Every structure is written in C-alpha cells, then in structure tokens.
Amino acid sequence: MKLLSVVVPCYNEEEVMLASYERLHTVLQGLSAYRHELIFVNDGSRDRTLQLLREIAAKDPQVKVLSFSRNFGHQIAITAGLDNCKGDAAVVIDADLQDPPEVIAEMVKAWEEGAEVVYGKRHVREGESAFKLLSAKYFYRFINRLADVDIPLDTGDFRLMDRRALDAFLGMREQHRFVRGMVAWVGFRQLALEYDREPRFAGVTKYPLKKMLRLATDAILGFSNVPLRLATIIGFLTSILAFAGILYTLYAKLFTEATVQGWTFLMIAILFIGGITLLVLGIIGEYIGRIYSEIKRRPLYIVSEKIGYGSGE
Ligand code: UDP
Ligand code: MG
C-alpha cells in the first residue's frame, strides 16, 4: 500500500487545530487505498497549539508532531515537515482550512494518473481583504516578469508532490525559501487543480504585512538577478548624466561668466549621485546579505520535540 504524507504547518492555531485535524482525518480515512501519516509542524506557537497536538497524537498513531524551538516561519515549517515524511507522495496544506482538505482526494487522483506535482490554483477567494487579493494578484504577475522560472499564478503552498519531485525539492537547502517557486523550478510533470479557497475557519491571519513583504523579497531576490542588473543600469545612466554635467561645467567655465551660479547644479548633482550610489549599494547589500547567510550553513530549523516518530526516525 502506498503511503501518503500530509504536512500541516501550524503557528498559533489553537482555534482551528481540532477542527482541522477532524476534517483531515475524515478525508484520509476516505482514501482507504492508502496508508497515511499526518505531520503537524508546530512553528513555535505561543498558544495552546502544541498541547492540542500532543492530545491528538496520543490518540491517533498516524499523527506525528514536529515542534520547533521558536518561530521559524511558514516556508521553513513546510520544509521541516517534508524532510521528516516518508510518503510516496506528500501533500502540504494550511492548518486554517482555507484549502479544503477534500481537494486532497482529487490531487491523489491526478497523481495516480501520472502528475508528479499537483498544485492547487485558487479559483475564488472568500474572506480575504481587498488589499491581500490585489497585492497577491499583482505580485504573482510581477514576479513572473522578473523570475528565471515560471511560477504559476494564484497558487499557494497547497500541493501534492510525488517522491521524486519531493526529493529534488529537498535537495535545495537554501535559507531563504520561497517554496512555490522552488517547486516550480524543480520541474517534472506539474498539473494545476482549480479549487475554491474558503475563508479562514477561525483565528486571524498569521501573515502580517511584514511577513508578506519578507516572502515577496525572498521570491524576487531568490529567483531573479534583475535587481542587480538594475543597479548596473541605473549606475550606467547616472554616469552618462554625470558626463553631460561635466561637459556643461567645462563649457560654463570656459565660455560664460556664470560659474558661481553653478552652485545649484553642483548641489543637485552631488545629491543625485549620492542617492543613486546608496540605492545601488543597497541592492548589492541585499545579495551580499544572502551570500553571508548561505555561507554560514546554519541548520534551517531546530526541532525541540518529536512526537509519534519511532526511535531512529
Ligand atoms: N504559519 C506558520 N508559521 C508562520 C506563519 C504562518 O507555520 O510564521 C502557518 C499558519 O499556521 C497556517 C499557514 O502557515 O497554517 C498559512 O498562514 P495563514 O493562514 O495565517 O496565512 P494566509 O492564509 O492569511 O496567507
Ligand atoms: Mg490562511
């Protein structure tokens, strides 16, 4: 019998934990042709999430729990769950029931028909702020213009991966992880499955603007060197302007009496060039920061507790 792993990242999800487990459990029971394991990754929650997960794991031997020593973020939590799963295929799904667990059955069907990655494509999104919808829409289009890979539009992290694609993905150990982009990069036979995204079952989003911006930065810098090239282009254009400025200065010096009034021009030039230099340095700094964090080769996460795993697993 094939084994199906389901990975659920959880951060302060006490309001949804039980309901989420119940629905996943029902769906997985329905897939009776498969054995399954349900892996919850507690991403350093500060509420009762871990306690609830302990209770669930105590009752259900198919449930496993990985608990982080602190909050490492959604993308890392997903990675940890996938690292620690044994399935012939693995599904990643949010804890908040925005992605209906029932869709997993359809994903499994597509997998049996030969797809190696089945990703959920959001059809309708209820209960999301206009800002989130709009920013998501333009973000995906923007990143696709910049990125070296085609990242499918309107997809999140709800997807099924076959063992081959999964192992390829897990071979990428970079620190700044934009999982949906990395899975797209891996290739294999990928299939989109449209579904309706529901409102959050309970609780509030764990993705405040700050985390969204960080994810967006990881996506852009992780998959594109365009910002670096932009630095070069801006630097080049500024140099041309500066050269024209030098010619003008010389002309003013040699052929007019107006040199003292050149103060305005001088100030503008200094400020302008200073500003551009800082901008370009900033962009370069972003990449250097990434080189630094990659070079440290830190572990991606620290598991403080493993529940439901046998010894040696
Ligand atoms: N999540 C996580 N770590 C974080 C933030 C979020 O594990 O630092 C989990 C969260 O518990 C949920 C999933 O990632 O299962 C998606 O988060 P959320 O639903 O809050 O994001 P949204 O759907 O609002 O984009
Ligand atoms: Mg959500």
Side-chain angles (χ1 to χ4, degrees), residues 15-137:
E15 289 114 316
V16 304
M17 227 50 264
L18 285 176
S20 186
Y21 163 71
E22 294 292 341
R23 249 174 91 184
L24 279 166
H25 183 71
T26 311
V27 167
L28 292 173
Q29 279 322 107
L31 288 164
S32 51
Y34 302 87
R35 289 181 299 126
H36 71 260
E37 60 177 358
L38 195 48
I39 301 173
F40 291 97
V41 184
N42 170 41
D43 185 10
S45 302
R46 271 184 266 263
D47 62 359
R48 291 176 54 248
T49 301
L50 180 58
Q51 220 170 309
L52 294 171
L53 287 174
R54 276 212 185 91
E55 286 163 23
I56 294 169
K59 280 191 218 125
D60 185 342
Q62 274 140 345
V63 169
K64 295 175 177 176
V65 180
L66 290 176
S67 186
F68 282 175
S69 56
R70 63 170 172 85
N71 180 245
F72 280 89
H74 182 205
Q75 306 289 299
I76 298 287
I78 290 173
T79 308
L82 293 172
D83 269 337
N84 290 279
C85 81
K86 289 228 160 74
D88 297 292
V91 176
V92 175
I93 186 168
D94 286 353
D96 60 1
L97 295 173
Q98 280 195 286
D99 312 318
E102 291 71 29
V103 177
I104 294 176
E106 292 172 50
M107 289 183 164
V108 169
K109 191 160 163 273
W111 170 50
E112 287 296 358
E113 286 165 7
E116 286 161 301
V117 174
V118 188
Y119 54 87
K121 193 169 159 66
R122 299 156 183 162
H123 191 56
V124 203
R125 304 176 79 183
E126 284 175 49
E128 303 257 38
S129 67
F131 172 71
K132 187 139 192 171
L133 288 183
L134 212 71
S135 60
K137 183 174 165 200

Side-chain angles (χ1 to χ4, degrees), residues 127-147:
E128 303 257 38
S129 67
F131 172 71
K132 187 139 192 171
L133 288 183
L134 212 71
S135 60
K137 183 174 165 200
Y138 285 104
F139 172 67
Y140 286 113
R141 279 155 187 80
F142 177 66
I143 175 79
N144 266 330
R145 298 210 74 173
L146 289 187

Side-chain angles (χ1 to χ4, degrees), residues 171-211:
M172 304 163 84
R173 303 309 294 176
E174 63 214 63
Q175 302 270 336
H176 296 269
R177 304 177 80 77
F178 182 60
V179 172
R180 60 204 78 157
M182 292 164 70
V183 175
W185 187 88
V186 159
F188 293 104
R189 282 190 301 271
Q190 307 220 357
L191 186 82
L193 193 72
E194 287 217 347
Y195 72 103
D196 295 342
R197 193 156 158 101
E198 287 168 18
R200 199 173 227 289
F201 174 74
V204 294
T205 177
K206 307 302 180 305
Y207 258 96
L209 188 62
K210 198 173 133 207
K211 278 189 177 165

